[in-house]
Amino acid sequence: MPSMLWLWKKRLPEDVHKELIQKYGKLYGVRMFGKTTIICNRPDIISQVLSKEFTSFTNRRKLTTGDAIADNMLQITTDDKWKRLRAIVSPTFSTGKLRKMRPLIDDCLQTLVTNIGKMSTNSDHSVDMKTVYGAYTMEVIIQVAFATKVDALIDDKNPIILNAKKLMSQDFKIWQLIHVLIIFMFPKVAKFFGMTFMPKDITGFFTDLINKIIAERRTGKALDGGKRYDFLQLLLDANERNNEENSDETHKQETTTESDVLSEEQTTPLQLNTKSMSDAEMISQCVLFFIAGYETTATTISYAIYLLSENPESQQKLFEESKSIFETK
């Protein structure tokens, strides 16, 4: 199983794949978890799959574990369910929607600047900036996805922070690897024994948290009393619009005379209802938002800052460009 060599040899996966590309070319296949997986390193094909022919590649590896949160995540669902969830989720990442989320991100950025300012006053010790930017990333995701303000660097005893850290723990044990392999290779066995990707106590915590927030939003009892523009609220708004459309279409069909016959091409109320997203599915997308965004963003910011520190000229250029932008506002 070439794709798993990096686990056993304790090497980075990109190094292993680089060797395989040199040996087999930019397009090759490997056996992974009992199935053939295509590895592509050709930009033209990648662009074709991810853009022009995207709707033709709806399915990933079929995986069902019985874990309600994992099984409802966008990258695990397949076929019509995947299309339905993607149709609801994708509009929340439009430019206009993201612009409305900016105040939430700016708020977290001010916390980051404040914390860095406090650290800079003490020049007697070094600071692990990956921890600092990791805390900032966690704050942004929790604020944008879960609508909760935290200071991950200071308030490390907050239950949300504690469970988020457990969820993203990098302390990977060998038994956990075996656990994941069983889920991938023998999903029916994993389901029988109740094996899940994520610890049930952590998923239970986030399920209860988000369910509470959803209930508050629907009853108009949000703590700040105002309209929110976070990921969860955008999902709720999209769901409400779809439900209204479903209701309107269903009403139109109910008023159709008995002599009218629906053709096979017409949409039935049952099909129309599939435009909606359940609360469990919304919870899954919020957790996925966190998992997919945390490590990638924290590492990218940390590495970018490292490169800037190693290249003073680029750092000065960035400073001057940023300064000119802020001065024009």
Side-chain angles (χ1 to χ4, degrees), residues 88-125:
I88 297 173
V89 172
S90 293
T92 65
F93 292 98
S94 66
T95 303
K97 298 292 196 312
L98 292 175
R99 189 177 294 113
K100 291 180 179 179
M101 294 183 188
R102 180 175 172 177
L104 301 176
I105 300 174
D106 287 345
D107 187 30
C108 296
L109 183 59
Q110 290 303 314
T111 302
L112 171 65
V113 172
T114 300
N115 287 335
I116 291 178
K118 292 177 180 178
M119 294 177 197
S120 64
T121 59
N122 188 347
S123 59
D124 296 334
H125 69 286

Side-chain angles (χ1 to χ4, degrees), residues 45-326:
I45 295 179
I46 294 174
S47 176
Q48 187 83 1
V49 170
L50 297 181
S51 181
K52 296 179 180 179
E53 300 294 336
F54 187 68
T55 55
S56 300
F57 295 88
T58 59
N59 294 346
R60 281 68 180 160
R61 178 180 299 275
K62 190 172 180 60
L63 182 66
T64 304
T65 67
D67 182 337
I69 288 185
D71 289 346
N72 281 319
M73 287 182 177
L74 190 59
Q75 90 281 20
I76 290 181
T77 55
T78 59
D79 300 319
D80 290 340
K81 184 175 181 178
W82 175 85
K83 291 180 180 179
R84 171 174 58 83
L85 292 178
R86 184 175 182 272
I88 297 173
V89 172
S90 293
T92 65
F93 292 98
S94 66
T95 303
K97 298 292 196 312
L98 292 175
R99 189 177 294 113
K100 291 180 179 179
M101 294 183 188
R102 180 175 172 177
L104 301 176
I105 300 174
D106 287 345
D107 187 30
C108 296
L109 183 59
Q110 290 303 314
T111 302
L112 171 65
V113 172
T114 300
N115 287 335
I116 291 178
K118 292 177 180 178
M119 294 177 197
S120 64
T121 59
N122 188 347
S123 59
D124 296 334
H125 69 286
S126 59
V127 177
D128 180 2
M129 295 308 295
K130 173 64 183 298
T131 300
V132 175
Y133 292 118
Y136 165 68
T137 303
M138 188 176 292
E139 290 168 24
V140 170
I141 294 176
I142 292 174
Q143 176 85 306
V144 170
F146 303 143
T148 303
K149 172 63 177 174
V150 296
D151 187 338
L153 201 63
I154 306 299
D155 190 15
D156 56 357
K157 301 301 182 184
N158 186 304
I160 300 178
I161 300 298
L162 291 174
N163 281 277
K165 287 182 176 179
K166 289 179 183 178
L167 184 63
M168 300 305 301
S169 174
Q170 300 294 310
D171 188 16
F172 203 71
K173 304 290 192 306
I174 187 64
W175 67 266
Q176 291 174 302
L177 172 61
I178 297 173
H179 183 96
V180 171
L181 288 174
I182 292 174
I183 292 175
F184 268 102
M185 299 181 72
F186 311 105
K188 291 183 179 179
V189 174
K191 187 175 181 179
F192 178 80
F193 287 103
M195 301 172 68
T196 60
F197 279 116
M198 298 171 286
K200 293 182 179 180
D201 60 328
I202 298 176
T203 57
F205 171 82
F206 283 112
T207 297
D208 292 342
L209 172 68
I210 301 172
N211 271 328
K212 180 181 178 181
I213 296 172
I214 290 175
E216 290 175 347
R217 298 290 178 86
R218 285 175 174 160
T219 57
K221 296 178 181 179
L223 295 180
D224 57 7
K227 177 71 173 178
R228 297 299 297 263
Y229 290 103
D230 49 59
F231 183 62
L232 179 58
Q233 186 61 52
L234 293 175
L235 290 181
L236 286 168
D237 291 344
N239 222 29
E240 184 176 348
R241 285 194 299 272
N242 288 335
N243 285 332
E244 290 175 355
E245 292 174 4
N246 291 348
S247 178
D248 291 342
E249 291 296 328
T250 302
H251 178 71
K252 288 179 182 178
Q253 291 193 13
E254 288 175 347
T255 58
T256 303
T257 62
E258 294 182 0
S259 60
D260 292 331
V261 179
L262 289 173
S263 66
E264 292 183 0
E265 290 77 15
Q266 286 179 299
T267 310
T268 67
L270 180 61
Q271 290 171 314
L272 287 166
N273 287 335
T274 61
K275 290 182 179 180
S276 300
M277 180 183 287
S278 68
D279 288 357
E281 289 169 341
M282 280 191 278
I283 291 170
S284 293
Q285 309 325 311
C286 287
V287 175
L288 172 61
F289 187 79
F290 183 85
I291 294 174
Y294 173 68
E295 183 61 33
T296 50
T297 306
T299 300
T300 300
I301 295 175
S302 300
Y303 189 53
I305 297 299
Y306 167 74
L307 292 176
L308 287 171
S309 68
E310 291 290 301
N311 296 271
E313 292 181 359
S314 297
Q315 184 179 154
Q316 185 62 30
K317 183 178 179 181
L318 176 62
F319 172 74
E320 295 296 339
E321 183 178 335
S322 301
K323 183 179 179 182
S324 65
I325 293 174
F326 283 108

Side-chain angles (χ1 to χ4, degrees), residues 2-3 13-31 36-42:
S3 62
E14 52 266 34
D15 291 337
V16 174
H17 285 301
K18 185 177 180 180
E19 289 182 4
L20 294 176
I21 288 172
Q22 293 173 346
K23 185 176 181 179
Y24 299 111
K26 293 185 176 182
L27 187 66
Y28 63 93
V30 298
R31 295 292 291 176
T36 300
T37 299
I38 302 299
I39 307 297
C40 180
N41 196 44
R42 287 181 49 181

